[in-house]
Amino acid sequence: MIKDPKHAPLFIGSDIYRTSSYGAWHPLRVPRVSTVMDLSRGMGWLGPAQYVQSPRAKAAALSLWHDPDYLGALALAEQTQIASPEVKERYGLGTTANPVFPEMWRRPATSAGASLLAGELLAQGGIVYSPAGGTHHGMPARANGFCYLNDPVLAILSLRRSGVRRVAYIDIDAHHPDGVEVAFGADPDVLMISTHEENRWPRTGALEDVGAGTLFNLPLPAGLNDTEMAEIRDRLILPSVASFAPEAIVLQCGADAVTEDPLSRLTLSNNSHWQIVAALMEMAPRNLVLGGGGYNPWSVGRLWTGVWATLNGHLIPEVLPPVAQSVLRGLEFQNHRLGRNPPDHWFSTLRDSPRNGEVRPKVRDGLARLCARIQPEF
Ligand SMILES: [Zn+2]
C-alpha cells in the first residue's frame, strides 16, 4: 500500500471510452476502460485523489509526431463521417481496421492527450496508469491496426520535453509495436523490448533486428505459457532494463496475449502481466503503464484492473465482492461465441489460474540470442 497520497499512482481516464465504439462488428466494440474504472471504483481502489480526467489533445500538440495534413484529414473525417477513396488510400482512414465512426478524432485525441499529460506529470517522478493508451501501431501520417494516433510515441516525446532522456519501452502486447519502432527503433537512448506472437500481423519485429543495439524483438510461438514468460521476464526484460538504467519506463501492457483473447494464440494467464508490472515499477523513478490490445471484455477488464491493483499494492481478493461482480456480470460480448456462455470465474475473480508449462526450444533459442546482446552498460 502506498501511504503518502502525494506519491500515490495516478489513473488517467475518460468516459469517452464508455460511450463510443468502433462499430458493431469491430473488435473494439467491447467496453474496456470503463470496466477498469467501474471495477476499480467498486473495489474502493479509485478515489477522486488518484483519478485524472484525460484532456483531449489539440492538433498542434499531436503534430509533435503526427503529420499536420493527416491530422486535418482525421478531424475532417469525424466531422463529415466520410472518408473519400483518396483519403482511405493515402491515410488508411475508413478501412475495416480503422473505420469512420462518430468519435474517430475525439477518442484517439483523448488517449493521446493522456499520454502527453503523463509525460508532464512524471517530470519529477511517479507512477501513471492510462489503460486507454498503448495505440502502438499508429504511424506519423497513417492510421494502422485500430490505431489512429500513436500515444506511446507521444508519451516518450513528452517525457523528453520534461527533461527525461533515457526511456525503456517494454511492449508485451501480442502484436509487434511497428509504429513505436518507426519512431525509436534506431534511438540509442530508447531501450525497446517487444514480445509478440510470430507470424501475426503486422509481421514486423524480427528476432534479427538490432536497431542501434538497444532494440530487442522476441517473436513467440502460439501457446506461450506463464513459465516461458517468467523466463523472458527474468532473463531478458529485467536484466536489460537494469543495465540500461532508464530514467523512465513506459510499459505497453496489451491484454491480448492471454488465452481468452480472440485475436491471438498466445495463452498466458493475467498473472504474467501483473508480475511484470510489479517488477518493472521498482526499476525506474518514473513509470507509465499503458493499455493496448485486448478484445474479450472480461479478460481485458480483469487484467487491467489487476494492473491498477498491482501498481497500488492492493491485495486482489480470491472472490470479488458483489459490487465488483455485478460490473463483470453486466458486460456483453455481442456477436461473438465467447459472449454466449461466459464461465463463472470471469464474473467472480480477477486472477486467472496460472498457466505453467515447459519452456520450449524455440522460446529458449530466441531468448538466448537476445540475452547474448545485453550489455553490462548500454
Ligand atoms: Zn495487440
Side-chain angles (χ1 to χ4, degrees):
M1 181 77 74
I2 291 151
K3 300 246 166 52
D4 182 350
K6 281 202 299 295
H7 298 291
L10 296 174
F11 183 119
I12 310 183
S14 167
D15 276 318
I16 196 168
Y17 311 108
R18 189 186 300 280
T19 54
S20 62
S21 161
Y22 279 45
W25 296 94
H26 195 285
L28 283 177
R29 67 188 174 281
V30 301
R32 306 180 335 140
V33 175
S34 53
T35 311
V36 182
M37 286 162 52
D38 294 348
L39 267 178
S40 298
R41 287 180 177 138
M43 295 301 298
W45 294 341
L46 185 56
Q50 284 183 275
Y51 183 75
V52 178
Q53 182 70 40
S54 178
R56 186 194 308 161
K58 299 217 160 50
L62 297 169
S63 67
L64 190 57
W65 194 61
H66 290 284
D67 173 56
D69 291 342
Y70 166 65
L71 295 170
L74 179 58
L76 186 66
E78 175 175 292
Q79 224 176 72
T80 58
Q81 289 295 292
I82 291 168
S84 69
E86 294 75 34
V87 163
K88 182 176 176 181
E89 170 69 26
R90 181 157 178 199
Y91 297 123
L93 296 171
T95 62
T96 310
N98 291 89
V100 171
F101 70 97
E103 301 83 2
M104 66 187 288
W105 161 263
R106 280 169 287 166
R107 177 168 157 154
T110 301
S111 46
S115 276
L116 288 165
L117 175 63
E120 296 167 23
L121 293 171
L122 289 170
Q124 306 305 321
I127 296 173
V128 174
Y129 184 36
S130 173
T135 56
H136 57 177
H137 299 304
M139 292 294 175
R142 196 173 173 82
N144 188 38
F146 311 167
C147 307
Y148 296 80
L149 301 169
N150 195 313
D151 74 274
V153 168
L154 293 164
I156 294 170
L157 292 174
S158 177
L159 282 162
R160 288 252 162 100
R161 278 193 170 169
S162 293
V164 174
R165 191 168 61 94
R166 290 165 68 77
V167 178
Y169 175 78
I170 317 297
D171 190 311
I172 56 173
D173 191 281
H175 302 88
H176 176 252
D178 49 351
V180 185
E181 193 171 306
V182 163
F184 298 114
D187 185 337
D189 284 328
V190 175
L191 172 70
M192 233 187 116
I193 305 172
S194 169
T195 58
H196 47 269
E197 188 177 343
E198 64 184 4
N199 301 321
R200 179 163 296 287
W201 189 92
R203 299 182 187 279
T204 47
L207 183 65
E208 294 75 24
D209 298 345
V210 298
T214 53
L215 174 66
F216 294 82
N217 282 318
L218 184 56
L220 294 160
L224 183 73
N225 63 55
D226 286 344
T227 314
E228 290 172 324
M229 200 58 175
E231 190 102 345
I232 294 164
R233 178 193 71 216
D234 292 341
R235 291 188 51 210
L236 172 66
I237 299 177
L238 303 185
S240 52
V241 170
S243 307
F244 189 76
E247 295 159 84
I249 295 173
V250 177
L251 172 65
Q252 199 272 18
C253 199
D256 49 6
V258 295
T259 306
E260 293 81 0
D261 195 87
L263 262 61
S264 89
R265 295 198 297 151
L266 303 180
T267 52
L268 298 178
S269 80
N270 54 24
N271 295 281
S272 278
H273 296 71
W274 299 346
Q275 287 160 3
I276 288 170
V277 169
L280 283 177
M281 63 183 280
E282 306 291 333
M283 298 187 75
R286 300 168 189 84
N287 280 274
L288 172 60
V289 180
L290 303 171
Y295 306 98
N296 172 325
W298 289 284
S299 57
V300 69
R302 292 165 69 244
L303 193 158
W304 286 350
T305 304
V307 167
W308 180 239
T310 304
L311 291 172
N312 285 280
H314 294 310
L315 214 60
I316 295 171
E318 258 180 58
V319 178
L320 292 173
V323 58
Q325 288 201 27
S326 70
V327 172
L328 289 164
R329 287 182 199 281
L331 295 176
E332 286 180 26
F333 195 0
Q334 285 172 349
N335 307 325
H336 200 283
R337 65 178 169 79
L338 290 171
R340 274 178 227 139
N341 275 311
D344 194 69
H345 71 271
W346 289 5
F347 303 145
S348 59
T349 69
L350 289 188
R351 187 185 297 279
D352 298 328
S353 302
R355 293 166 190 153
N356 293 319
E358 248 182 279
V359 180
R360 291 165 292 168
K362 178 122 203 201
V363 175
R364 201 178 289 284
D365 292 352
L367 201 46
R369 262 182 86 163
L370 295 186
C371 291
R373 289 180 36 218
I374 300 174
Q375 306 289 322
E377 270 177 38
F378 280 100

